Amino acid sequence: MNSDEKNAWADFFEFVATLYLNEPDEERIAGCKEVGHKFKKIFPGELFAKMLTLVERDSSEDITQEFYDLFFVPISGKYLPPFELAQRQIPMRTDLCASVKNFYISAGFNPELLDIPSYIKMINRPDYIGFEMAFLGLILRSSAELDLNGDEEQASALLQTACSFYSQHLGMWVSNFGKQLTERAECYMYKALGHLTIYVGHSMSEILSKDSVKSIC
């Protein structure tokens, strides 16, 4: 994977992370529609691209309410726990979350420094799906920068970190989470996010294990 491809995929993962980490205000909804038209050219036939172009068919109030109902309100009837520990149905213990946090620390990633609402920063759970997606975006971006600086050894080491994190953590649950999200969401934005998440799950292993990858530049 060359630096351009790493940056392009970093953009992709950062976009997905942003939808999990921020309230869907009108500016973000309009931005999703614009990205949807871009994705339709890059990923012809993918449902997430088409659905993103339709996000404004739902009211901003309905989209915002669904954001909270899906990810933050257990009694909503739609709630889908956005945490690795819950989705993998592992009894509550500290070693899994500690493992995730150790990956973050080793790469210099701190969710509290993200430009996101304070109440999401205060989740205090490293296994939140938005944090895990953002982490992969950071790793790919950093690896690309090292490539451009001629530090191939460190760039390769970071890419291996991404592979290890995916195989040990995100890859173990993200596809199933995306499938559940497509089934529970009613608004186009979160149905699209579900399909985006499934795409991440289906594509990540190939992306990180091969030298060549479909460019999304």
Side-chain angles (χ1 to χ4, degrees), residues 73-194:
V73 184
I75 63 172
S76 67
K78 290 184 179 182
Y79 181 64
L80 184 60
F83 304 104
E84 179 180 350
L85 200 66
Q87 291 299 319
R88 292 178 63 182
Q89 299 182 348
I90 297 174
M92 181 61 73
R93 61 176 192 259
T94 60
D95 57 342
L96 184 146
C97 287
S99 174
V100 173
K101 190 171 184 178
N102 285 339
F103 271 102
Y104 293 174
I105 292 172
S106 67
F109 174 70
N110 184 351
E112 293 184 3
L113 298 180
L114 295 172
D115 185 17
I116 57 177
S118 58
Y119 69 89
I120 296 181
K121 292 183 182 183
M122 293 171 62
I123 288 174
N124 198 29
R125 288 282 300 272
D127 62 330
Y128 180 62
I129 189 169
F131 297 153
E132 293 197 3
M133 291 280 192
F135 174 70
L136 281 172
L138 170 73
I139 290 295
L140 290 172
R141 182 85 64 206
S142 298
S143 182
E145 291 175 358
L146 288 167
D147 280 333
L148 294 174
N149 291 332
D151 194 339
E152 295 182 3
E153 183 176 349
Q154 286 298 316
S156 178
L158 273 185
L159 192 58
Q160 183 57 50
T161 296
C163 291
S164 298
F165 183 78
Y166 177 78
S167 63
Q168 295 177 37
H169 292 290
L170 193 63
M172 300 294 290
W173 65 288
V174 69
S175 293
N176 184 56
F177 183 86
K179 182 176 183 295
Q180 293 180 76
L181 183 53
T182 64
E183 294 168 350
R184 298 194 189 191
E186 297 180 12
C187 294
Y188 282 109
M189 176 172 282
Y190 294 108
K191 282 189 174 295
L193 182 56

Side-chain angles (χ1 to χ4, degrees), residues 37-56:
H37 286 296
K38 177 182 177 182
F39 278 174
K40 283 182 73 173
K41 298 177 182 177
I42 302 168
F43 304 103
E46 291 288 349
L47 279 173
F48 62 75
K50 180 179 180 180
M51 288 182 175
L52 285 172
T53 67
L54 302 175
V55 292
E56 290 181 326

